[in-house]
């Protein structure tokens, strides 16, 4: 399993874009990049995933570099409710694949 | 969307007793469920993978005789912490995958169970 590296904490102002980086330099060709987040004292929530193309859904955008060694999760208009720990995970697209969580990035959205 | 529930949400027990935590997939059948443990200000640590009708697969360092996992049906997995001690106090979270669906890569997490052993 590819290891991911994220900054321990970040902050942004409410209404501004939050850009959360992730390094995954050892990712293999068939591993996807998944993003989950965990709001305090709750279970994690799936955000988005991608292989090599940029992806966008109703929650966020995912930008993956051409060499796939890093990616950025973008929350276009952060709200206070986006304050959470964000986890970047490299893994296979398999429903039985176990997610190995790293330390994540603690995002604080400031009013 | 798919919903996973856990019961109880909080439990306090005395040292030496056993505690059972239930994880249910409410609107889908989950052939695979996962159990995690999370200590304060730390990340989630995978404890075991639970497959319906078969023995759970435990991660290295997790005592299978202490953390008993049963996945007797496609909608229910249970984690029993046997002979609990204060160091077992933690936040226990389960997740389930929904195979055969368009978003089968997504894992759905329960809300967690906070165990306090006194």
């Amino acid at each position: 399993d590819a290891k991911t590296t994220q900054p321990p904490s970040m902050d942004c102002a409410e209404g501004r874009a939050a850009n959360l980086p992730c390094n995954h330099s050892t990712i293999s060709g068939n591993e996807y990049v998944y993003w989950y987040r965990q709001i305090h004292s709750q279970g994690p929530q799936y955000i988005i995933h991608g292989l090599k193309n940029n992806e966008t859904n109703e929650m966020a955008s995912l930008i993956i570099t051409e060499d796939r060694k890093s990616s950025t999760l973008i929350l276009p208009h952060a709200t206070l409710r986006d304050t959470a720990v964000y986890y970047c995970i490299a893994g296979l697209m398999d429903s039985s694949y176990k997610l190995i969580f790293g330390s994540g990035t603690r995002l604080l959205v400031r009013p | 969307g798919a919903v996973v529930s856990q019961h109880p949400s909080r439990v306090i027990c005395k040292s030496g007793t056993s505690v059972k935590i239930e994880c249910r997939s409410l609107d889908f059948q989950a052939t695979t469920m996962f159990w995690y443990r999370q200590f304060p200000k730390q990340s989630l640590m995978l404890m075991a993978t639970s497959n319906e009708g078969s023995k759970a697969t435990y991660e290295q360092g997790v005592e299978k005789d202490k953390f008993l996992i049963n996945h007797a049906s496609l909608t229910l997995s249970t984690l029993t912490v046997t002979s609990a001690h204060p160091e077992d106090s933690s936040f226990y979270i389960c997740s389930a995958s929904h195979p055969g669906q368009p978003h089968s890569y997504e894992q759905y997490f329960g809300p967690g169970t906070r165990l306090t052993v006194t």
Side-chain angles (χ1 to χ4, degrees):
Chain A
D1 300 338
K3 178 179 169 57
T4 61
T5 305
Q6 300 176 251
S9 64
M10 296 182 66
D11 67 83
C12 75
E14 187 178 20
R16 304 299 293 269
N19 298 289
L20 291 86
C22 178
N23 286 318
H24 33 78
S25 58
T26 62
I27 195 168
S28 62
N30 59 350
E31 285 185 306
Y32 287 71
V33 179
Y34 293 88
W35 283 84
Y36 283 77
R37 73 179 182 183
Q38 184 180 26
I39 296 172
H40 182 62
S41 294
Q42 297 182 22
Q45 174 191 26
Y46 165 84
I47 301 173
I48 199 168
H49 78 286
L51 183 62
K52 54 184 178 182
N53 296 321
N54 297 339
E55 302 288 345
T56 295
N57 63 19
E58 64 277 6
M59 290 184 68
S61 295
L62 174 60
I63 308 298
I64 303 174
T65 58
E66 193 168 340
D67 62 8
R68 301 209 328 121
K69 292 185 177 182
S70 66
S71 60
T72 301
L73 178 74
I74 301 172
L75 307 178
H77 306 286
T79 70
L80 299 180
R81 287 175 294 182
D82 292 322
T83 291
V85 179
Y86 288 76
Y87 296 98
C88 167
I89 303 169
L92 302 174
M93 180 175 277
D94 184 331
S95 60
S96 63
Y97 182 78
K98 53 187 183 183
L99 298 175
I100 305 300
F101 286 79
S103 53
T105 295
R106 188 172 299 272
L107 175 67
L108 173 65
V109 180
R110 296 177 278 103
Chain B
V3 178
V4 174
S5 71
Q6 284 185 239
H7 178 79
S9 58
R10 290 178 176 271
V11 58
I12 301 173
C13 72
K14 292 187 181 298
S15 186
T17 62
S18 296
V19 175
K20 180 184 285 188
I21 301 170
E22 293 184 349
C23 176
R24 293 183 184 272
S25 55
L26 297 186
D27 49 2
F28 67 99
Q29 294 184 329
T31 53
T32 304
M33 289 184 170
F34 303 88
W35 286 95
Y36 297 83
R37 180 167 58 178
Q38 185 175 34
F39 293 109
K41 297 190 183 302
Q42 294 187 23
S43 184
L44 286 80
M45 186 194 80
L46 180 66
M47 299 175 68
T49 302
S50 169
N51 292 298
E52 187 266 337
S54 63
K55 291 184 178 180
T57 303
Y58 291 82
E59 294 299 302
Q60 191 173 8
V62 177
E63 300 174 61
K64 61 181 180 182
D65 294 331
K66 181 171 183 61
F67 298 100
L68 301 180
I69 292 173
N70 184 281
H71 193 158
S73 78
L74 287 172
T75 60
L76 174 64
S77 176
T78 60
L79 168 68
T80 301
V81 182
T82 63
S83 187
H85 291 285
E87 56 265 31
D88 299 323
S89 297
S90 188
F91 193 48
Y92 291 87
I93 308 170
C94 71
S95 72
S97 56
H98 192 179
Q101 294 299 305
H103 294 182
S104 62
Y105 44 77
E106 179 179 346
Q107 283 193 24
Y108 301 93
F109 286 81
T113 296
R114 189 162 301 282
L115 169 64
T116 303
V117 184
T118 61

